Amino acid sequence: MRRVPLVLLPMVLLTNCVAPVTRTPPPAPPPALVTVAPPPVTTPPGPPADTGVEPGLWSYAATPSGSAARFGVTPQAAILAIQCDRETRGISLMISRSGPATGGMVTLRATSLVKSVAAEGSGTFATVRLNARDPILDALAFSRGRFGVLIDGVERAYPVWPEFTRVVEDCRA
């Protein structure tokens, strides 16, 4: 048996401790520059009539018993009104009709909820009475841009503006 001199033994052992050589991959090339086209120029949306919504504006007014908002070409020629009675915490919706009628049903349609309610009154306006906490009022106020009212077989869409929501909130305060 051959003996390895003790002086060489540490060198033999060290050669077994050397880490294997690993090759690192070459660095990735820099990303190519991407040019993004500017967004197209858009025109502002058309008037509400272009979107199927009744033409007109909302107006708000404080009243001795609460508050009211009216929708129409002018506040005096309103085709829809919402009124708050703070004492009873009641909301009244007054909806114009195409002709004189009595009673009937009114369907309120929001993005997330639909509710049919009995109408009161006779003449060219129908009145719907709701509790100020009725979920349909929140659904109408937060509907996507508009809500619908179906009465006497005719459905009209009205824009959602802050005046409507303010009357509801006045009744809840």
Side-chain angles (χ1 to χ4, degrees):
M1 203 177 204
R2 262 180 140 182
R3 288 187 164 190
V4 177
L6 286 178
V7 176
L8 295 176
L9 187 59
M11 293 179 89
V12 171
L13 293 174
L14 283 176
T15 59
N16 291 332
C17 293
V18 175
V21 177
T22 57
R23 295 188 181 223
T24 58
L33 294 175
V34 178
T35 57
V36 178
V41 176
T42 59
T43 58
D50 290 347
T51 60
V53 176
E54 290 293 315
L57 302 171
W58 280 100
S59 62
Y60 172 87
T63 63
S65 63
S67 60
R70 291 175 180 77
F71 179 81
V73 178
T74 66
Q76 296 77 21
I79 58 174
L80 177 71
I82 179 172
Q83 188 168 342
C84 161
D85 182 354
R86 279 196 196 121
E87 188 174 313
T88 64
R89 300 280 186 232
I91 297 280
S92 298
L93 287 171
M94 285 75 70
I95 305 128
S96 70
R97 295 184 130 149
S98 54
T102 302
M105 294 296 288
V106 173
T107 301
L108 305 171
R109 184 184 319 274
T111 305
S112 62
L113 191 62
V114 175
K115 183 174 184 171
S116 293
V117 185
E120 303 172 358
S122 59
T124 57
F125 275 86
T127 301
V128 172
R129 300 194 193 286
L130 300 166
N131 182 295
R133 299 270 178 212
D134 193 314
I136 191 66
L137 294 170
D138 290 319
L140 295 174
F142 296 107
S143 193
R144 293 184 182 155
R146 69 180 92 181
F147 62 87
V149 177
L150 174 67
I151 184 168
D152 301 331
V154 177
E155 184 166 14
R156 295 185 187 142
Y158 300 95
V160 177
W161 283 16
E163 290 82 352
F164 180 92
T165 307
R166 185 170 177 190
V167 173
V168 174
E169 291 302 317
D170 287 346
C171 258
R172 292 178 177 174

